[in-house]
Each structure stands twice: as structure tokens, then as C-alpha cells.
Amino acid sequence: MEATRPQLAVKDLSKSFGDHTVLSHLDLHLDRGEVVALIGPSGGGKSTLLRCLNQLELPTSGQVELDGQELVAYRGGRAVASSPKALQKIRRQVGMVFQQFNLFANMTAEQNIVFAQRAALGTSKDEAHARARALLDRVGLAHKAGSHPAQLSGGQQQRVAIARSLALDPAVMLFDEPTSAIDPEMRSEVLAVMRELAEGGMTMLVSTHEMGFAKQASDRTVFLCDGGILEQGPSRQLLDEPQHDRTRQFLRALAEA
Amino acid sequence: MDFSLLPEAMLLTVEITLAAMGIGMVLGVLVVVARRSRFRVLRAVAVVWTDVVRGVPPLVWLMLVFLGIGLFTALGTAIIVFGLVASAYCAEIYRSGLEAVPRGQTEALAALAVPARTGQLRVVAPQAAVIAAPAVLSYAIGLVKDSSLASVIGVAELTFVANRAANRTGDGITPFVTVGVLYLLFSLLLAVAGKLGTQRLEGRWRTR
């Protein structure tokens, strides 16, 4: 049983903001070590889906399971905020990388990573620093440890943000359009880090407009449109031979852009 | 005019300004914490405090506390009143500073499982402080001038001394020009010191 249980399961998930339905009865499973690319038009619910997984948003209905554990608590039919303790536990296991990086502006790259570990895990000072330096080295930024975010390029900031998220040793990593806010020529350095992470066996759900990354580094691509999954399949297959007109249209528009 | 009275008068002006500012900046933190509290009662108290304190002229507060309550010396009254008034204004300045910290910072804190209080203290508050610093400084400079109101209840600060000299000698120019210049100097000094302090606070992290 253990081997067949998905690491992350989204079950019949819906999310509305007032009258506006963003996600509608969505099902999605990620196996351990699987890398899934989430593509689709802006406003199609990619971001909202990711944010429901670590409870930056609460779903309207449906469930999210991590290793078989239900994450969303319901009371009287409505999703309710988990206790601070439960939330912390979820977020330690589910890392998130943002489009806008969101590094703490008042801390250096190294301090960002040290602070996250100490605040979230209670790591000792020495251990946190050692791990921060090792992670910065891993993303190729050991020489920028003492730089503040404002002194780093977008690509560098995003690599620090990935390192910071990895510092908590998450089981799953969510990426919310990680390269969209970065100059095109700086994107490859971020994508390279992500590719390495994927090859290292991390379970990843990546919302992206980078079809090259989707094709080469992800096992499966999911096309999300109008709040639902229109189609999904092995990345190469889906991107080369999409089955739906809407998917074809989206991919064509992206290629022309 | 008797210039020998000026140093002590100047000292009183400085004392009222700095002491009131100290009280206001510290108390302002408490007010803003109450304002952002989970508890509705605390939030209501903070709102009422800031609105009532700011809605009544400082001169009325001075008279009310000095003549009405009558528990404090004139100087004590001035420091307390200006300190309490400053707390309301500082709280509002802090609040807008806190609100100006980009939302992404809070989201990252949440996503990284950082306990809320730790995140507020170590990430949000320091950034809000830098954003709020210029407004706090300009309030302090305003207070230098507002402190002259203390003359009305008999604190022998700059304006009081000038007024008395003018009444005695019939010369209204020399005393008021003199204290005017002193107010100006003090304000400028505060502006320069504050600017340096702000830059220090800001450090490298907002430079591009």
C-alpha cells in the first residue's frame, strides 16, 4: 500500500472568491519524486491551486492529502483555518517558491536562510549557518551570502529563495511561476537549479510558462483552464500532441509570444 | 532682554520635546499592537484613544490636565500631555508603516512556517520602522514648535521667556527673533540627526 499511495493528493477541490469560481472540483495526484508542470492561461487557477496546498488560501470544498493525512479541517461544512501548530507542520513539509521571490528585505541571503531554519525548526545557530552556506553553495551563490536582496538580481534572489525553502527540508516543493518575474537571460540559472532538484528526487509541482522546462524536466504536464484540468499526460506527449483544441491554442499562442 | 535666562529655557524646550517624543514612540508601539490585536476590545480602545487624543487641541489637553486634574507640575503636565498626544500620532504612523510592508513578506513568513510573532518582530517591524522613520522625525520636528504651548501653563521654556521679556521691555522684536532662531536651530539639528539615524537604520538593505 505504502508504495502506491500518492505523496500529495488533491481531491475534489473547489475554491471560490465570492461569486467567482476559480477552481472547480479538481483532482490531482503527485507520486513521491514526481515533477508535475502546471500550465495554462493566467487566471486559470494555477496560483490559487498552489496556495490551497499550503493553506495560504482555504479551499471552499474538497480535501488535500499529504502522505495520506488530510490537511483541510472542516467545521459545519466550511473549511476552517488549521491551528497555528497544524499549519506550521503543513508548511514545514510543503515548501513554496513565489513569483516575486519574497526574500526578507532586511536580511542578507544567508540570514534569510538561517532565520527560516531557526524560526521554523528551532535549528541551532551553528547548524543553521552551516546549512545555509551549503545551500547557497548548491545554488551557486556562496559568494553572495552577505548580500541583501536589493543587491541581487532577480535570478539570484530566486535561487536564494529556493535555498531558503529547501532549508526546511520539505517533502514537496511548490513553485508559483518562479521565473515569470525574472529577465529572460537570467531564467536559465533558476531553471537549472530546479532541474537539479527534480533529478534529485524532490516532489515538485511547478506552475510555469516555460515549456522547455516542462518538457525536459517534468514527468507530467497538467493543463489547467477555467478552474479545471482540461488534460494531462506525460509532458513530452502532452506538449507535442495536445488532444484538446484549447490546449493547442494555448501552446500556439505561447510559442508565438 | 535678559539673555542669561535662555540656556535654561532652551533646555526646557529640549526636555519637553525629547521626553514627550520618547514617551510617544514607546507608548505608540503599545497602541499599535492593541490596534492590530485579535481582541476586539483592545482594538476599540486603541481606536478611541487615537481619535480622541488627536481630535482635541493640545492646548485644551494642557489646560485640562494642569488646571482640571491638577496633579502634576507645569513641566510634568507638558511632558505627559505631549507624550500622550505623540503616542496617538506615532501609533498611526507605525500602522501605516506596517501596512506598507509588502504583502509578499508576510506570505513568505507564513509559507516558511515562521511563527506569526517571530515574523512580525524580526521581519515586518524592522521594515515598517524604516518606512515610518521619516514621518516620526517630522512629527518630532513639529513637536519642537508645539512645545511652545507649554508657556501658557507657565513652563519657563523659550516662548515663555521671550513673552515675559517682551512684556517687561516693550521690545517685541529681539526676544521673539532670538527664540525663533533657537527653535529653527533645534529643528534643523533634529532633522540632521534624524536623517543620519534613518540612514543607519536603513543600512544597505534598500539601496539598489
Side-chain angles (χ1 to χ4, degrees):
Chain A
M1 278 311 285
E2 195 65 24
T4 56
R5 189 167 70 194
Q7 177 147 31
L8 184 72
V10 178
K11 295 184 170 171
D12 198 31
L13 192 80
S14 296
K15 174 67 180 174
S16 313
F17 295 99
D19 290 341
H20 182 56
T21 302
V22 181
L23 297 173
S24 173
H25 303 288
L26 194 133
D27 286 281
L28 181 66
H29 293 196
L30 265 77
D31 288 329
R32 192 174 303 278
E34 200 180 12
V35 178
V36 173
L38 202 55
I39 65 168
S42 302
K46 303 192 295 290
S47 217
T48 305
L49 170 59
L50 293 176
R51 293 166 63 88
C52 281
L53 302 184
N54 67 348
Q55 292 192 19
L56 285 181
E57 304 283 357
L58 277 177
T60 308
S61 64
Q63 191 51 262
V64 178
E65 287 177 16
L66 185 65
D67 256 334
Q69 291 268 334
E70 294 194 341
L71 302 187
V72 188
Y74 281 91
R75 201 173 300 145
R78 288 175 68 100
V80 290
S82 305
S83 69
K85 254 211 173 81
L87 263 183
Q88 266 198 289
K89 197 174 157 217
I90 295 168
R91 289 165 176 171
R92 278 198 293 259
Q93 295 177 80
V94 183
M96 181 175 243
V97 171
F98 297 89
Q99 183 174 350
Q100 299 295 338
F101 334 127
N102 295 346
L103 289 180
F104 304 132
N106 56 325
M107 298 180 183
T108 64
E110 183 170 349
Q111 284 166 349
N112 261 273
I113 305 172
V114 169
F115 171 71
Q117 294 175 79
R118 289 179 55 73
L121 307 175
T123 315
S124 78
K125 218 169 200 166
D126 290 346
E127 204 183 320
H129 276 282
R131 190 161 166 73
R133 279 188 222 112
L135 281 163
L136 282 173
D137 191 44
R138 183 164 154 196
V139 299
L141 288 171
H143 61 296
K144 294 288 185 187
S147 299
H148 282 79
Q151 298 165 316
L152 299 173
S153 74
Q156 290 170 332
Q157 287 187 62
Q158 194 60 296
R159 284 187 284 159
V160 175
I162 294 172
R164 182 177 70 173
S165 194
L166 289 175
L168 303 192
D169 207 13
V172 177
M173 285 281 281
L174 310 174
F175 292 81
D176 190 2
E177 299 201 19
T179 56
S180 296
I182 300 174
D183 290 339
E185 64 264 37
M186 306 284 192
R187 284 178 188 164
S188 58
E189 62 192 37
V190 173
L191 293 170
V193 167
M194 290 170 60
R195 203 166 288 148
E196 210 181 284
L197 202 56
E199 282 159 9
M202 176 64 76
T203 309
M204 292 163 62
L205 184 55
V206 184
S207 114
T208 185
H209 291 298
E210 297 281 344
M211 294 309 127
F213 174 83
K215 201 183 261 188
Q216 290 154 28
S218 76
D219 304 305
R220 179 155 50 107
T221 293
V222 172
F223 182 66
L224 193 64
C225 184
D226 300 330
I229 294 174
L230 191 58
E231 66 176 305
Q232 59 176 314
S235 295
R236 210 164 280 276
Q237 190 183 318
L238 184 131
L239 293 167
D240 288 341
E241 299 158 38
Q243 299 301 302
H244 283 78
D245 279 344
R246 185 70 187 83
T247 318
R248 266 194 287 276
Q249 194 190 336
F250 173 78
L251 291 173
R252 205 179 310 124
L254 213 58
E256 282 164 7
Chain B
M1 125 172 240
D2 185 359
F3 284 90
S4 68
L5 289 174
L6 282 178
E8 201 171 332
M10 181 79 210
L11 211 62
L12 278 172
T13 293
V14 171
E15 198 177 327
I16 295 170
T17 307
L18 296 186
M21 212 50 214
I23 292 171
M25 285 171 71
V26 173
L27 216 54
V29 173
L30 297 184
V31 177
V32 84
V33 167
R35 180 76 193 250
R36 289 162 65 90
S37 154
R38 270 179 303 143
F39 305 107
R40 188 186 302 220
V41 178
L42 276 180
R43 288 202 301 270
V45 168
V47 169
V48 169
W49 176 258
T50 47
D51 288 353
V52 169
V53 166
R54 292 186 310 160
V56 175
L59 189 54
V60 173
W61 284 127
L62 281 173
M63 308 266 218
L64 180 65
V65 173
F66 189 62
L67 303 174
I69 299 177
L71 281 176
F72 313 103
T73 63
L75 177 62
T77 301
I79 289 173
I80 290 167
V81 165
F82 286 123
L84 295 183
V85 172
S87 80
Y89 282 96
C90 284
E92 285 301 286
I93 293 169
Y94 296 158
R95 193 165 68 95
S96 65
L98 287 166
E99 278 165 10
V101 174
R103 212 181 133 69
Q105 300 284 306
T106 330
E107 291 202 332
L109 286 166
L112 285 162
V114 175
R117 189 172 303 175
T118 312
Q120 290 290 315
L121 230 51
R122 297 280 309 278
V123 173
V124 178
Q127 295 185 42
V130 167
I131 297 168
V136 171
L137 182 62
S138 87
Y139 184 79
I141 291 167
L143 191 56
V144 171
K145 289 160 281 178
D146 284 352
S147 71
S148 64
L149 291 172
S151 63
V152 175
I153 56 169
V155 180
E157 46 67 74
L158 285 176
T159 305
F160 183 89
V161 168
N163 191 30
R164 198 169 47 186
N167 283 333
R168 279 191 190 156
T169 60
D171 170 17
I173 302 276
T174 320
F176 288 114
V177 168
T178 310
V179 300
V181 168
L182 289 174
Y183 277 118
L184 188 63
L185 284 177
F186 183 29
S187 300
L188 287 176
L189 197 73
L190 211 55
V192 171
K195 188 96 192 151
L196 291 175
T198 309
Q199 276 167 3
R200 224 182 121 90
L201 195 64
E202 197 165 329
R204 285 169 301 172
W205 47 273
R206 287 220 302 184
T207 55
R208 187 74 167 148

